[in-house]
Amino acid sequence: METTLPLFEDEPHRPLADRMRPTELDQVVGQEHLLAPEAPLGRMVAQQRLVSAVLWGPPGVGKTTIARLLADRSNLHFEPVSATFAGVADLRKVFAAAQQRRTVGQGTLLFVDEIHRFNRAQQDSFLPYVEDGTIVLVGATTENPSFELNGALLSRTQVFVLRRLDEAARHALTAMADGDGRYLLNMVEQLQALPADEQPLDTTALTRLVQQRAPLYDKAQEGHYNLISALHKSMRGSDPDASLYWLARMLDGGEDPLFVARRLVRFANEDIGMADPHAVQQALAAWDVYERLGSPEGELAIAQAVVYLATAPKSIAVYRGFGAAHKSAKRTGSLMPPAHILNAPTRLMKELGYGKDYQYDPDTTDGFSGADYFPDDMDREAYYQPTRNGYESQITERLRQWAALRAGK
């Protein structure tokens, strides 16, 4: 008589996640946008016209399982390779075996896990076999393919984005698994092993009994750029709460706090500027405090600066004005400053008119001479256009008064 192994017992050598691995495509959860009958992969399977593809998504969402099931549904031999361990010699053997199968009418689905770990030359080795149909290549990656895969390979594959699981379990358990279905099932297995008389678990008890998954964050790759972008745009959008959230996400993921501190200084100059001249001082102070105190105490100074910058008035008038001045400088070349603002330390220079008729502004009646400081052969330009936000509202009025005085003189 055939016996059926219980789901949570026996087979201690096989993790629960492996025992529960789907055996049919319709058993895969969370990726309906790709696998439903009218979705891209669903249509390919129905038409038996599978194309080479890259499956991009976080760990534990089913990339390997989907590739295996696609091969099964398409009557292709499934050949798995890990880019972590395989080299060019291994790939040659795989290609030779695929060519041999093809002579007897058997196709091959070559699944390359962590395909982003192959270098450009290794990636190029796939091209002729993809083009002539020897293999259907399915690569899996947790990294943005546009950064990690070369253009030739990307042009011959379709990229499908797998979603982070958000309905595989509920509330705290899902959050602790950070969307990783494999990790979630392993946590379920831990909970199943608890004594039968264990009290009902609240969030605190659950956290104590199972190990929370480390946040998915790669300081050197896309996660790094995504989260710093989220922090920057939240501060730019004057949302201190979202800004604190993304700051916490970065620090919890192991980001270097000094990287954040440097970014805050840049933000203060770029997005706030003269709307609040104290903003850059706050950012620099946070940097200084962190260098003196370190973590975790110094992180509070960074958080304070984040809130200050998020709630400060915003202006990119200096940023735009400096960019416009750069363009003018490149266009006008090496025009000399007007003679009246040049020093004349020698007799010859005085005879040439250097410094002649120069007006010392602080000594004038209005503290403003109205002189023209642009080159003689260049029309006056207005690069800096202050807003009416924060301190720049005062600057706007001051510039208006000076313009009137200049026109009068």
Side-chain angles (χ1 to χ4, degrees), residues 5-23:
L5 294 175
L7 183 61
F8 296 105
E9 299 176 9
D10 299 333
E11 291 195 287
H13 58 286
R14 289 187 63 201
L16 178 63
D18 185 53
R19 280 178 271 158
M20 292 192 66
R21 190 181 295 275
T23 58

Side-chain angles (χ1 to χ4, degrees), residues 29-42:
V29 299
Q31 311 302 336
E32 290 79 8
H33 64 294
L34 298 178
L35 298 174
E38 297 304 317
L41 288 176

Side-chain angles (χ1 to χ4, degrees), residues 209-409:
L209 292 168
V210 299
Q211 178 63 43
Q212 181 169 341
R213 182 186 184 279
L216 179 62
Y217 183 71
D218 187 337
K219 291 185 289 182
Q221 300 295 337
E222 196 199 8
H224 166 84
Y225 297 107
N226 284 348
L227 266 62
I228 193 61
S229 176
L231 172 60
H232 194 123
K233 290 182 173 63
S234 297
M235 292 190 297
R236 180 182 290 161
S238 301
D239 190 333
D241 300 309
S243 301
L244 286 174
Y245 171 77
W246 293 118
L247 172 66
R249 281 281 302 276
M250 295 185 75
L251 296 180
D252 286 348
E255 182 59 77
D256 180 3
L258 288 176
F259 166 77
V260 180
R262 290 191 294 271
R263 187 65 175 244
L264 297 185
V265 174
R266 169 190 165 183
F267 179 90
N269 284 294
E270 180 179 325
D271 289 87
I272 297 175
M274 291 299 294
D276 183 352
H278 297 295
V280 68
Q281 297 172 9
Q282 291 288 325
L284 287 170
W287 187 344
D288 185 47
V289 169
Y290 182 82
E291 286 194 320
R292 292 170 183 267
L293 296 182
S295 293
E297 293 87 352
E299 293 174 5
L300 183 59
I302 294 177
Q304 177 176 320
V306 163
V307 171
Y308 187 97
L309 300 182
T311 55
K314 307 299 189 295
S315 170
I316 58 171
V318 173
Y319 179 83
R320 284 178 172 168
F322 191 40
H326 263 300
K327 291 180 180 178
S328 286
K330 290 179 180 179
R331 185 182 71 250
T332 56
S334 302
L335 294 178
M336 282 287 291
H340 73 95
I341 64 172
L342 298 178
N343 291 330
T346 69
R347 178 181 297 179
L348 175 62
M349 297 171 79
K350 290 180 180 178
E351 292 174 352
L352 292 174
Y354 284 25
K356 184 181 180 181
D357 298 328
Y358 173 67
Q359 299 180 68
Y360 185 65
D361 287 71
D363 276 346
T364 62
T365 303
D366 300 306
F368 177 77
S369 68
D372 186 1
Y373 298 98
F374 277 91
D376 293 333
D377 296 330
M378 180 179 173
D379 292 334
R380 180 175 183 79
E381 300 277 359
Y383 304 122
Y384 177 51
Q385 302 286 341
T387 68
R388 292 195 172 274
N389 300 336
Y391 179 71
E392 274 195 325
S393 63
Q394 300 178 44
I395 297 176
T396 298
E397 180 59 25
R398 198 174 302 154
L399 290 177
R400 187 192 66 77
Q401 293 174 358
W402 286 337
L405 288 171
R406 183 180 291 111
K409 293 177 182 295

